[in-house]
C-alpha cells in the first residue's frame, strides 16, 4: 500500500525550479496569476492555508505550478503544505471547485456591503498602481491584497457605507462600485463638496441646469436610458471626473 505523505515545508526559489522540472505538464500558465501570487509572496501576504503542492506516486508534480512559478519569478520563499503520493490519474479532479471571491472573504470577516467594498478596494489598488480603474493587462489583485487594503484604509469602508445609506439614487446611472470609489476619492480631500456633488447626482438636491453636477446627471441619465449611448466604464469615469473638476 502506497500512503500519501504530508509535510509543511519552506519552498525556496531553487527548490521550486527543481520541482517544476519534474512537472508532468499543466494547463497554460497565466502570467497575471503568477504576477499576483508573486506580489503576495514579496509583500509577505502569503499564508499557509492548507492548499497543497501535490506530487503523484511517480514523483511527478501535478498541482502547484502557478505558485512555484511565482516563487521562482519573485525570488521569495514561501511556506506550503506538500503532499506526495497522490494517485496517478487525479488531474481531471483538480481546480474544479468554485473560487472564493474577495467579496466572500470580506463577508466572512464581518464587513457590510462586501460586494461593493471589494470592488472599490480593487479599483483603488489598480488606480494606485497607475493602471486606471481596471486590472486588464495588469497583475490580478488577489483576495489577500484586497483585504489588506480594506484593513489599512478605513476610509474606503466609510465611503461605501455613506454611499449605501445616502446616495443609492446614483445606482441607475452608474455602477455602485464606481460611484462609491469616486465618493471616496473626491471626499478624501473635499468632503463637503463631494457630499453636495453626489446629492445632485442622486437627485436628492435640485440645482441650476448649468451646475456641473446637474449637467453630469443629465448626461448619465441619457447614457443609462439609450442603449447606443452606453459608455465603457473608462469613458464613464472620464465624464465623472470632468464633471467634478468643472
Amino acid at each position: 500500500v502506497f500512503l500519501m505523505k504530508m509535510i509543511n515545508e519552506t519552498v525556496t526559489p531553487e527548490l521550486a525550479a527543481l520541482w517544476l522540472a519534474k512537472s508532468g505538464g499543466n494547463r497554460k500558465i497565466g502570467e497575471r496569476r503568477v504576477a499576483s501570487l508573486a506580489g503576495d509572496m514579496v509583500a509577505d501576504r502569503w499564508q499557509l492555508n492548507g492548499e497543497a503542492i501535490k506530487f503523484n506516486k511517480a514523483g511527478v508534480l501535478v498541482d502547484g505550478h502557478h505558485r512555484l512559478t511565482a516563487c521562482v519569478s519573485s525570488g521569495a520563499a514561501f511556506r506550503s503544505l506538500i503532499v506526495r503520493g497522490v494517485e496517478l490519474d487525479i488531474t481531471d479532479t483538480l481546480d474544479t471547485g468554485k473560487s472564493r471571491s474577495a467579496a466572500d472573504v470580506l463577508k466572512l470577516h464581518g464587513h457590510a456591503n462586501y460586494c461593493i467594498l471589494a470592488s472599490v478596494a480593487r479599483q483603488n489598488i489598480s488606480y494606485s498602481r497607475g493602471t486606471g480603474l481596471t486590472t486588464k493587462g495588469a497583475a490580478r489583485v488577489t483576495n489577500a491584497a484586497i483585504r489588506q487594503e480594506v484593513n489599512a484604509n478605513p476610509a474606503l469602508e466609510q465611503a461605501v457605507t455613506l454611499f449605501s445609506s445616502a446616495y443609492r439614487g446614483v445606482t441607475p446611472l452608474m455602477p455602485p462600485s464606481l460611484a462609491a470609489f469616486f465618493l471616496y476619492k473626491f471626499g478624501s480631500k473635499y468632503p463637503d463638496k463631494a457630499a453636495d456633488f453626489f446629492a445632485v447626482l442622486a437627485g436628492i438636491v435640485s440645482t441650476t441646469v448649468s451646475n456641473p453636477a446637474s449637467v453630469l446627471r443629465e448626461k448619465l441619465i441619457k447614457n443609462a436610458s439609450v442603449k447606443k449611448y452606453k459608455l465603457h466604464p473608462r469613458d464613464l469615469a472620464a465624464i465623472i471626473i470632468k464633471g467634478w473638476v468643472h
Side-chain angles (χ1 to χ4, degrees):
V1 178
F2 196 99
L3 299 177
M4 284 193 296
K5 297 180 180 179
M6 293 178 285
I7 186 173
N8 287 328
E9 193 169 334
T10 297
V11 183
T12 64
E14 295 75 19
L15 187 57
L18 180 64
W19 286 352
L20 285 168
K22 297 180 179 179
S23 171
N26 186 48
R27 56 186 168 162
K28 182 180 178 181
I29 293 294
E31 293 182 3
R32 289 181 62 204
R33 177 62 176 161
V34 168
S36 65
L37 294 174
D40 279 350
M41 292 173 184
V42 171
D44 199 28
R45 289 191 295 262
W46 187 267
Q47 293 185 323
L48 184 64
N49 65 0
E51 291 186 4
I53 293 171
K54 305 179 186 74
F55 296 85
N56 67 19
K57 291 178 179 180
V60 174
L61 175 70
V62 295
D63 193 24
H65 295 77
H66 282 82
R67 282 164 282 173
L68 294 174
T69 303
C71 177
V72 172
S73 68
S74 68
F78 71 103
R79 294 282 292 173
S80 180
L81 177 66
I82 312 299
V83 176
R84 294 180 171 87
V86 301
E87 296 295 335
L88 298 176
D89 57 353
I90 67 162
T91 305
D92 291 348
T93 69
L94 298 174
D95 301 318
T96 58
K98 182 180 183 296
S99 298
R100 181 167 291 175
S101 69
D104 293 332
V105 171
L106 295 181
K107 179 182 179 183
L108 288 170
H109 285 280
H111 295 278
N113 305 301
Y114 43 85
C115 289
I116 299 176
L117 180 58
S119 186
V120 170
R122 181 180 293 105
Q123 290 176 94
N124 198 50
I125 291 170
S126 298
Y127 185 84
S128 299
R129 289 176 177 175
T131 57
L133 301 182
T134 178
T135 56
K136 186 175 182 181
R140 174 179 172 270
V141 181
T142 63
N143 293 350
I146 287 174
R147 186 177 174 226
Q148 183 182 63
E149 180 74 8
V150 170
N151 289 340
N153 193 350
L156 279 175
E157 190 158 17
Q158 292 167 6
V160 170
T161 300
L162 178 60
F163 166 78
S164 298
S165 62
Y167 303 119
R168 277 284 186 177
V170 175
T171 300
L173 307 181
M174 69 180 81
S177 60
L178 187 64
F181 170 76
F182 280 116
L183 179 61
Y184 161 72
K185 295 300 288 186
F186 298 161
S188 61
K189 288 188 176 181
Y190 307 102
D192 292 339
K193 180 182 175 182
D196 293 341
F197 185 77
F198 275 88
V200 174
L201 290 184
I204 299 170
V205 174
S206 297
T207 184
T208 61
V209 294
S210 60
N211 180 283
S214 181
V215 172
L216 174 59
R217 176 175 165 80
E218 290 306 310
K219 289 181 180 179
L220 294 174
I221 290 173
K222 183 177 182 181
N223 175 61
S225 62
V226 183
K227 188 173 183 180
K228 71 177 181 179
Y229 286 111
K230 288 289 184 181
L231 293 172
H232 185 280
R234 178 186 60 249
D235 299 322
L236 189 58
I239 68 167
I240 293 169
I241 294 171
K242 184 178 180 180
W244 169 255
V245 298
H246 276 65

